């Protein structure tokens, strides 16, 4: 069977499974809808958390970034996985002990203020929509290639599926769907990785193959060969860093504290029965995530070698079939600059703006013509970073079922995260804005209905962002982390570990962090993209790392203003003491 038919079957079967699970676990109460009734076992929750957290960015983009940027992209791996440890140690058990449904609810109660709660909801909506745009884009890319539809149509199909199981099943439906999605995405990621590792080194374990000798008789290891190939083509050596130390540290820190402030991940810890289970499920999740994150560098290295070998100096007419397939989706473009009909893959941009601008005509070799080719550089081919993982099986000529499996895996990765985010948005609107702030008298049933309506609205907005994305997938996601780092992480951590922090401080801090971070990102990326370089950045910190500065400023403002104003009421201080004492620690009671 051909890859397209198999893709339809695999993706179709996985959709049937997700919708079946949603139907089986449909909910009737708000507690089930928000936190799955608080009855999810730690192992199951760990697997669901891993799927929730490993988004389309992990599945599609990180390996693509590493393949093209080499050592510079390692900051994403370190930051994202490190943040997870932070979350398990600093936040998970305490928030579970507090026992609320959402992050804004914790902030509103800890800072005894409706204003603080509303500010937290605004931050959360900003973060979640920025993040979800990247997921919808990922879904669109997968569908456009494997179901041969337009990217925008792909986004719409994805919206429909998520809508169905997020709105029906709530957190309970999403949890069990995510367990299924984890199994699909991890299998889909590992199978091609094993194939590639055997192909290049003869070692079936990709994590070890990554450091092995190549089996082409050259006597070089994988990384030595990559350094050699990249330098020959005019790129920086693969293992050499070009980013400054301060910027690298800022990005790692922003991604770490951003991960720990991500609302859709924090909410997962509210779904387990006991406080000790929150820590256990964080441990399981880390183990499940590691399976994928230790494989990513190997996949990146092998795919970069594949790309250099299969495309460079090959006549377009004899180029492998995958080049034409991806060209049809608009994610690869070749422009014959020197008129010899041979693909030159070199350092430098092939096109003037980054994305290809197709004219709708075909050249003499049948290639799609672009109107924005850059004649200043010798590079003739544009390859979108987000396709590396999906193009891998075709590039390496793996069996068709592997190609289909990757399609199902990528869709699973994007949908699991999108569903988690939608739930966070809808529960914040229904629970925190309506029930806890503006309409305290609504019934459980009305609250559930408004959560479902909010989910519908959120899906429509998310779809719009997926069709008009602000940047490529991993970059969009990194902005969301910066915003989470600068706005939500400081008030949560200080709320747990300091009794003196009060509402005036927290509100001022959140607003300062959010405004600074969003302003910086918008200024350099959209208003003055020409100035977006190390000379003009503050302290040499890029827009991806600015969340660290935002977080530091947030903490500073919070502490200063809390010191200058009245301390929180006694019952809030007692509540903070109580959160930090694990349940069943045997505290002496005064009679």
């Amino acid at each position: 069977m051909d890859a397209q038919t198999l893709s339809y079957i695999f993706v179709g079967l996985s959709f049937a499974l997700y919708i079946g699970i949603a139907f089986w676990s449909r909910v009737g109460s708000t507690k089930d809808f928000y936190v799955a009734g608080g009855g999810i076992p730690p192992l199951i929750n760990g697997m669901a958390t891993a799927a929730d957290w490993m988004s389309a960015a992990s599945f599609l983009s990180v390996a693509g970034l590493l393949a093209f940027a080499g050592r510079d992209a390692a900051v994403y791996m370190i930051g994202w996985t490190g943040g997870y440890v932070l979350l398990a140690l600093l936040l998970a058990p305490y928030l579970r002990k507090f026992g609320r449904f959402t992050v804004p609810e914790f902030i509103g109660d800890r800072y005894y203020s409706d204003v603080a709660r509303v500010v937290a909801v605004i931050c959360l909506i900003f973060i979640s929509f920025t993040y979800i745009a990247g997921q919808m884009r990922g879904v669109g890319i997968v569908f456009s290639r494997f179901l041969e539809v337009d990217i925008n149509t792909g986004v719409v199909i994805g919206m429909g599926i998520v809508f169905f199981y997020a709105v029906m099943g709530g957190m309970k439906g999403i949890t069990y769907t995510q367990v299924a999605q984890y199994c699909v995405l991890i299998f889909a990621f590992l199978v091609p990785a094993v194939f590639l590792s055997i192909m290049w080194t003869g070692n079936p374990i990709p994590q070890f193959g990554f450091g092995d000798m190549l089996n082409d008789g050259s006597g070089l290891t994988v990384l030595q060969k990559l350094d050699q190939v990249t330098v020959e083509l005019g790129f920086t050596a693969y293992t050499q860093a070009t980013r400054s130390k301060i910027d690298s540290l800022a990005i790692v820190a922003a991604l770490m504290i951003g991960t720990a402030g991500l609302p859709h991940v924090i909410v997962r810890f509210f779904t387990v029965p006991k406080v000790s289970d929150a820590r256990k499920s964080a441990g399981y999740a880390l183990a499940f995530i590691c399976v994928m994150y230790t494989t990513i560098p190997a996949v990146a290295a092998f795919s970069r070698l594949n790309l250099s070998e299969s495309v460079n100096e090959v006549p377009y007419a004899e180029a492998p079939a995958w080049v034409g397939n991806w060209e049809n989706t608009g994610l690869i473009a070749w422009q014959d600059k020197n008129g010899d009909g041979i693909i030159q893959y070199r350092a430098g941009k092939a096109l003037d703006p980054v994305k290809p601008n197709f004219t709708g005509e075909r050249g003499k070799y049948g290639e799609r013509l672009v109107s924005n080719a850059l004649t200043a550089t010798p590079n003739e081919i544009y390859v979108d970073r987000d396709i590396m993982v999906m193009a891998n099986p075709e590039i390496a000529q793996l069996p068709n079922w592997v190609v289909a499996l990757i399609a199902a895996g990528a869709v699973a990765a994007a949908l699991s995260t999108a569903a988690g985010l939608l739930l966070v948005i809808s529960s914040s609107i229904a629970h925190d804005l309506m029930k806890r702030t503006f309409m305290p008298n609504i019934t459980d049933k009305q609250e559930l209905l408004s959560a479902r309506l909010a989910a519908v609205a959120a899906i429509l907005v998310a779809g719009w962002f997926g069709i008009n994305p602000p940047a490529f997938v991993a970059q969009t996601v990194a902005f969301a982390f910066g915003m989470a780092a600068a706005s939500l992480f400081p008030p949560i951590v200080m709320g747990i570990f300091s009794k003196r922090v009060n509402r005036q401080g927290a509100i001022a801090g959140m607003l300062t962090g959010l405004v600074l971070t969003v302003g910086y990102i918008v200024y350099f990326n959209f208003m003055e993209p020409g100035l977006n370089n190390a000379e003009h950045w503050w302290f040499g910190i890029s827009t991806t790392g600015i969340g660290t500065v935002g977080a530091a400023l947030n903490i500073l403002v919070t502490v200063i203003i809390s010191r200058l104003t009245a301390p929180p009421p006694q019952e809030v201080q007692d509540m903070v003491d109580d959160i930090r004492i694990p349940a069943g620690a045997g505290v002496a009671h005064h009679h």
Side-chain angles (χ1 to χ4, degrees):
M1 269 159 111
D2 66 347
Q4 196 183 344
T5 316
L6 280 167
S7 297
Y8 272 113
I9 294 170
F10 280 29
V11 173
L13 284 174
S14 64
F15 279 173
L17 175 69
Y18 307 152
I19 288 175
I21 291 172
F23 192 74
W24 162 75
S25 60
R26 59 192 186 281
V27 296
S29 78
T30 48
K31 191 174 181 196
D32 273 348
F33 190 86
Y34 295 141
V35 292
I40 305 288
L43 184 71
I44 298 279
N45 194 46
M47 202 178 263
T49 308
D52 200 350
W53 186 79
M54 291 195 291
S55 59
S58 291
F59 193 91
L60 300 177
S61 254
V62 179
L65 274 172
L66 268 174
F68 287 103
R71 184 169 167 179
D72 276 342
V75 291
Y76 290 98
M77 314 258 322
I78 301 164
W80 278 332
T81 33
Y84 212 82
V85 180
L86 210 60
L87 185 64
L89 298 175
L90 287 184
L91 305 183
Y94 305 111
L95 287 172
R96 175 65 190 85
K97 175 91 187 319
F98 186 69
R100 294 289 187 272
F101 291 155
T102 67
V103 173
E105 191 172 18
F106 169 76
I107 288 179
D109 289 2
R110 164 59 185 84
Y111 295 111
Y112 51 99
S113 154
D114 283 346
V115 179
R117 186 183 306 119
V118 173
V119 171
V121 171
I122 294 168
C123 294
L124 182 140
I125 288 172
F126 251 99
I127 294 161
S128 303
F129 276 128
T130 310
Y131 202 153
I132 217 168
Q135 308 314 316
M136 289 324 231
R137 180 79 186 154
V139 174
I141 289 175
V142 179
F143 281 131
S144 71
R145 168 67 189 88
F146 293 106
L147 310 183
E148 309 269 322
V149 294
D150 182 63
I151 285 196
N152 299 349
T153 317
V155 171
V156 174
I157 299 172
M159 280 160 64
I161 300 287
V162 174
F163 166 75
F164 194 88
Y165 68 76
V167 174
M168 285 228 340
M171 184 51 113
K172 198 170 166 190
I174 284 176
T175 299
Y176 290 104
T177 317
Q178 280 172 341
V179 170
Q181 284 165 334
Y182 177 80
C183 300
V184 172
L185 80 89
I186 210 73
F187 189 62
F189 200 81
L190 290 177
V191 170
V194 170
F195 269 112
L196 285 168
S197 189
I198 293 172
M199 188 176 107
W200 284 98
T201 65
N203 190 330
I205 301 169
Q207 287 88 333
F208 296 143
F210 181 55
D212 264 1
M213 295 289 237
L214 289 167
N215 55 12
D216 59 1
S218 63
L220 296 174
T221 63
V222 174
L223 289 172
Q224 284 169 336
K225 172 79 173 176
L226 260 175
D227 277 351
Q228 187 189 326
V229 170
T230 43
V231 172
E232 272 172 19
L233 298 179
F235 298 92
T236 316
Y238 190 77
T239 56
Q240 189 186 330
T242 57
R243 189 185 274 122
S244 72
K245 273 205 182 70
I246 175 130
D247 193 27
S248 300
L249 287 171
I251 293 174
V252 168
L255 296 177
M256 271 182 77
I257 55 183
T259 299
L262 277 182
H264 69 291
V265 177
I266 293 175
V267 161
R268 292 239 52 104
F269 296 111
F270 298 163
T271 62
V272 290
K274 301 198 298 290
V275 178
S276 59
D277 293 341
R279 220 167 235 164
K280 273 188 207 141
S281 59
Y284 283 130
L286 198 56
F288 288 128
I289 289 169
C290 275
V291 177
M292 175 140 154
Y293 263 66
T294 51
T295 316
I296 287 177
V299 170
F302 295 138
S303 59
R304 180 69 184 262
L305 281 173
N306 274 338
L307 182 71
S308 314
E309 302 255 316
S310 60
V311 178
N312 188 35
E313 302 296 338
V314 176
Y316 179 84
E318 295 162 30
W322 62 269
V323 175
N325 292 342
W326 283 102
E327 202 178 27
N328 291 336
T329 63
L331 296 170
I332 278 184
W334 172 66
Q335 196 71 1
D336 195 7
K337 293 178 184 176
N338 53 7
D340 61 358
I342 294 173
I343 300 173
Q344 314 286 334
Y345 173 52
R346 296 283 182 275
K349 287 183 180 171
L351 308 170
D352 193 12
V354 180
K355 295 267 182 242
N357 192 0
F358 293 109
T359 57
E361 294 170 35
R362 296 270 174 176
K364 63 174 178 181
Y365 302 102
E367 78 272 21
R368 288 183 71 174
L369 292 179
V370 291
S371 61
N372 59 336
L374 241 194
T375 44
T377 66
N379 184 28
E380 299 182 341
I381 189 157
Y382 161 82
V383 181
D384 190 298
R385 303 169 185 199
D386 289 340
I387 68 171
M388 282 318 290
V389 171
M390 289 192 301
N392 251 332
E394 298 172 272
I395 296 174
Q397 295 171 342
L398 302 180
N400 281 341
W401 64 267
V402 181
V403 179
L405 186 63
I406 283 255
V411 173
L415 293 183
S416 61
T417 306
L421 288 160
L422 282 170
L423 192 76
V424 164
I425 295 170
S426 65
S427 56
S428 294
I429 292 172
H431 189 68
D432 298 311
L433 285 187
M434 295 176 66
K435 177 80 177 170
R436 294 292 309 267
T437 314
F438 299 117
M439 298 166 70
N441 300 325
I442 55 174
T443 64
D444 206 33
K445 228 179 184 136
Q446 288 168 314
E447 190 186 336
L448 191 59
L449 177 69
S450 56
R452 288 186 160 140
L453 291 174
V456 175
I459 287 175
L460 295 174
V461 177
W464 187 85
F465 276 125
I467 292 169
N468 307 295
F472 65 91
V473 180
Q475 206 177 350
T476 311
V477 170
F479 289 159
F481 279 85
M483 289 192 257
S487 60
L488 292 180
F489 179 76
I492 297 173
V493 169
M494 289 191 289
I496 295 171
F497 293 101
S498 158
K499 287 195 281 194
R500 185 62 184 79
V501 172
N502 64 16
R503 64 178 174 202
Q504 293 91 331
I507 294 167
M510 280 193 285
L511 290 173
T512 308
L514 187 71
V515 170
L516 171 94
T517 308
V518 175
Y520 195 85
I521 289 172
V522 169
Y523 178 78
F524 281 117
N525 282 16
F526 306 103
M527 285 160 61
E528 294 286 348
L531 300 178
N532 196 357
N533 56 47
E535 283 171 47
H536 298 99
W537 294 333
W538 292 357
F539 323 113
I541 293 173
S542 64
T543 48
T544 319
I546 195 65
T548 305
V549 182
L553 211 61
N554 179 335
I555 293 170
L556 194 68
V557 169
T558 307
V559 170
I560 292 171
I561 291 186
S562 295
R563 285 272 173 260
L564 299 175
T565 44
Q570 192 55 45
E571 65 266 22
V572 172
Q573 300 193 34
D574 294 342
M575 178 176 85
V576 175
D577 274 336
D578 186 53
I579 295 178
R580 292 217 299 271
I581 300 163
V587 185
H589 288 288
H590 300 292
H591 290 296

